[in-house]
Amino acid sequence: MKISSCFVKSFRDLFNIDVLKVVLISALPLFLLIFGFLYAFWDQIISVSSFLISWVPFSVLKLNGAFFILFFVWFILVLVSFAVVTAIFSPIFLNKLKERGYYLYSIITIGFFSLLYAVLLIKNWDYVFEEVKRLLTILPFDTVSKGVSAIVAVYIFYNFFILSLFFVIFIFSKPFLEAIRELEYPELEINVEDKFKYKRAILKDILIFIALFAVLFPLFFIPVINVGVQLFLWTKLYRDSFLYFVCNEYCSKDEFEKLSSQSFKTSFVAFLAALFNLLPIINFFAPFFAVIMFFHCVMELKLANKNISVKEEN
C-alpha cells in the first residue's frame, strides 16, 4: 500500500463531480443548520461555555488565547504562501509534473513554508508572544473570558459538525465510490460474500469518540497538547470506522485482516484526512477525503493480489 499514491489519487477525486454533488447537498446545509442554531441560541450557549471555563485561571486563559492566535497566524501564512506559489508556478511547470512529482512538490513546499514561519516565530518568540499577551491583558477579564467561551462553544459545535458529516458518509458514499471504481479500476471485479457487522462497530466508535472528547476536554486549555488531542480523536474515528465501512463493501476477510495489521499506515492515512479538518472550507471535504483514501488503499491491495495471482498462474 503506497500512501503517497493513495493521497494524490484521493485529492484528485475530491473534484469528481459525484463527490462535489454530495458535498454541496450535505456539508453546506449541515454547516448552515449548525450556524443557524449557534446564532439563535448564542447567549445561552455562551452562558454554558462560560460556566465550563469558570474554574480556569486568568493566566491560563491568556496563554491559551495567545497560543491560538499565533497558531492561526502561522497556519494561515503557510496555507496562503503555498497557494500563491502554486498559482504562480502552476502554468509554468507544475502541470508538466507527473503524479509523484506533484506529490513531492506539495510536501516540500508546505514543509519549507512551515519550517520558515516556525523559525521566524521562534526566533522572535518572546517579542511576539508578549505582544499578543499584552493585547489580551488590555481587555477586561470578562471580555477575555467571553472570548475564550466563544472559542470553546465553536470548538464543541465544530466537532458536532464533523460527526454529522461522518454520518453522511455512510448514507451517500457508496454511489460516488462506485463511480470512482468504474472510472479508475474497471478491471477489478468485486465479489464480497461475507459482510461485516460494521454498523455496530461504527456506533461503538462514535460513543468512544464522545466519551474521550468529554474526558479529555480539560486538555483543550493546554497549548500544543490541545491540537494533538483533537487530531488524535479525529484520526481514531476515521481510521476505525472507515476501514470497517470500505472493507465491508470491497474487501474479503483476508484483505481486511491484512489492512488491519498495517496499523501504522492506516492510522497515517486517517491522520492526513484529520489534518484537513483544520483547514477552512477544505474541512467540508475531510471525511470524504478520508473514505476515498481508504477506498484507494483497498483497491491498490486488490490490484497487488491480482497481479500476484496472475504471476503464479504463469
Side-chain angles (χ1 to χ4, degrees), residues 13 15 23 26 36 47-49 93 105 115 123 146 149 157 179 181 209 211 253 259-260 272 292 294 300:
D13 288 335
F15 302 98
V23 173
S26 59
S47 297
V48 174
S49 183
F93 71 90
Y105 157 79
L115 183 61
K123 187 177 180 180
K146 284 188 176 180
S149 297
F157 277 90
R181 185 183 71 81
F209 176 88
K253 286 291 181 68
L259 281 172
S260 297
L272 289 174
I292 292 172
F294 277 109
E300 287 205 350

Side-chain angles (χ1 to χ4, degrees), residues 17-308:
I17 187 63
D18 296 290
V19 178
L20 290 175
K21 284 180 181 178
V22 174
V23 173
L24 288 175
I25 66 174
S26 59
L28 189 57
L30 276 173
F31 176 79
L32 293 175
L33 180 64
I34 293 174
F35 180 80
F37 182 86
L38 280 172
Y39 180 79
F41 298 97
W42 183 250
D43 291 339
Q44 296 87 336
I45 292 170
I46 289 298
S47 297
V48 174
S49 183
S50 296
F51 173 75
L52 291 175
I53 69 168
S54 60
W55 51 271
V56 180
F58 180 57
S59 59
V60 175
L61 290 181
K62 287 197 302 178
L63 181 64
N64 205 43
F67 169 76
F68 269 106
I69 291 174
L70 290 175
F71 176 80
F72 182 75
V73 169
W74 171 82
F75 194 77
I76 292 300
L77 284 173
V78 172
L79 185 64
V80 170
S81 298
F82 174 74
V84 169
V85 170
T86 302
I88 293 173
F89 291 103
S90 181
I92 302 174
F93 71 90
L94 291 185
N95 291 331
K96 300 177 182 179
L97 290 178
K98 294 183 179 179
E99 185 176 285
R100 183 176 177 82
Y102 189 80
Y103 169 75
L104 290 174
Y105 157 79
S106 300
I107 295 299
I108 293 172
T109 306
I110 292 175
F112 169 76
F113 283 120
S114 299
L115 183 61
L116 174 64
Y117 292 124
V119 169
L120 290 175
L121 282 175
I122 292 172
K123 187 177 180 180
N124 301 280
W125 181 258
D126 291 339
Y127 172 75
V128 175
F129 195 70
E130 287 301 320
E131 288 300 314
V132 174
K133 285 203 301 182
R134 185 176 294 112
L135 172 64
L136 293 173
T137 305
I138 292 173
L139 301 174
F141 176 81
D142 184 61
T143 304
V144 175
S145 178
K146 284 188 176 180
V148 177
S149 297
I151 293 175
V152 171
V154 172
Y155 167 70
I156 293 173
F157 277 90
Y158 181 66
N159 274 274
F160 179 74
F161 170 67
I162 296 298
L163 272 179
S164 300
L165 282 181
F166 179 79
F167 276 112
V168 166
I169 289 293
F170 303 111
I171 301 173
F172 293 106
S173 63
K174 184 63 184 296
F176 70 71
L177 289 180
E178 275 298 294
I180 294 172
R181 185 183 71 81
E182 292 174 4
L183 180 65
E184 301 184 31
Y185 305 98
E187 72 277 18
L188 285 178
E189 294 184 4
I190 306 299
N191 184 20
V192 180
E193 297 178 355
D194 297 325
K195 295 281 187 175
F196 299 94
K197 295 181 178 179
Y198 74 96
K199 294 181 181 179
R200 185 179 301 174
I202 289 170
L203 179 60
K204 182 187 71 174
D205 291 335
I206 292 172
L207 294 176
I208 290 174
F209 176 88
I210 295 173
L212 287 175
F213 181 85
V215 170
L216 300 175
F217 182 75
L219 297 179
F220 174 72
F221 298 99
I222 304 177
V224 181
I225 291 178
N226 47 17
V227 177
V229 168
Q230 183 61 84
L231 286 174
F232 163 74
L233 291 175
W234 285 332
T235 298
K236 179 173 175 55
L237 181 68
Y238 287 167
R239 190 264 179 188
D240 295 344
S241 297
F242 288 151
L243 185 59
Y244 266 102
F245 173 70
V246 175
C247 283
N248 178 71
E249 301 294 336
Y250 299 104
C251 284
S252 65
K253 286 291 181 68
D254 290 339
E255 289 168 337
F256 172 72
E257 291 175 0
K258 187 171 183 178
L259 281 172
S260 297
S261 65
Q262 301 179 41
S263 57
F264 175 79
K265 287 187 176 182
T266 52
S267 295
F268 188 64
V269 166
F271 174 75
L272 289 174
L275 287 174
F276 274 49
N277 287 330
L278 299 174
L279 298 171
I281 306 302
I282 295 177
N283 52 11
F284 285 9
F285 296 87
F288 301 94
F289 181 70
V291 77
I292 292 172
M293 277 197 73
F294 277 109
F295 168 78
H296 281 297
C297 290
V298 168
M299 292 297 106
E300 287 205 350
L301 177 61
K302 297 182 80 69
L303 276 176
N305 291 340
K306 181 181 179 180
N307 292 334
I308 291 173

